[in-house]
Amino acid sequence: MPAINCSMFKNERKERDNQPDFTGPGQVTKEDLMAMLDQVTKGQFNADDDGRVKVRIAGWKKQAASGKAYISLSLQIDDYGCEAQTTSSPNTSPDLF
C-alpha cells in the first residue's frame, strides 16, 4: 500500500511555546504519490463531513545510529471498507479467514 514515510525527532531548537515539539524529514516515492492520487481519483477513500480525505497514521519508537530516540511514521489513505464495497463480493462464509 502506498505511503508517506516520516521521522519525528525532539525539536532541539525549540525556543518558544508556539514552535513544534517534534520535527523531522519525510519522503514519498513518485510512484506512491501517483498511486495515492489514483486512489483518491477513483473514490477509494474515506472522507470526513467536510469532504477531506482521511489518513491513517502508524508510528514506531526507534533509535538513530547517533543514539537519539525518534518516532518513525507512516501515513496512508484511509480506505478501510472502500475497496471491499467496489471490487469484491460479500462473504457469506462464517469463517473469518
Side-chain angles (χ1 to χ4, degrees), residues 19-65:
Q19 291 178 310
D21 296 317
F22 297 88
T23 63
Q27 65 275 340
V28 60
T29 65
K30 284 194 254 184
E31 293 81 13
D32 277 1
L33 191 56
M34 294 302 293
M36 293 170 102
L37 176 61
D38 187 51
Q39 189 176 357
V40 171
T41 302
K42 290 179 179 177
Q44 296 174 339
F45 66 93
N46 292 309
D48 67 10
D49 292 338
D50 294 325
R52 295 175 293 210
V53 176
K54 289 185 177 182
V55 295
R56 300 289 306 161
I57 303 172
W60 296 264
K61 295 187 289 184
K62 294 197 174 187
Q63 189 169 6

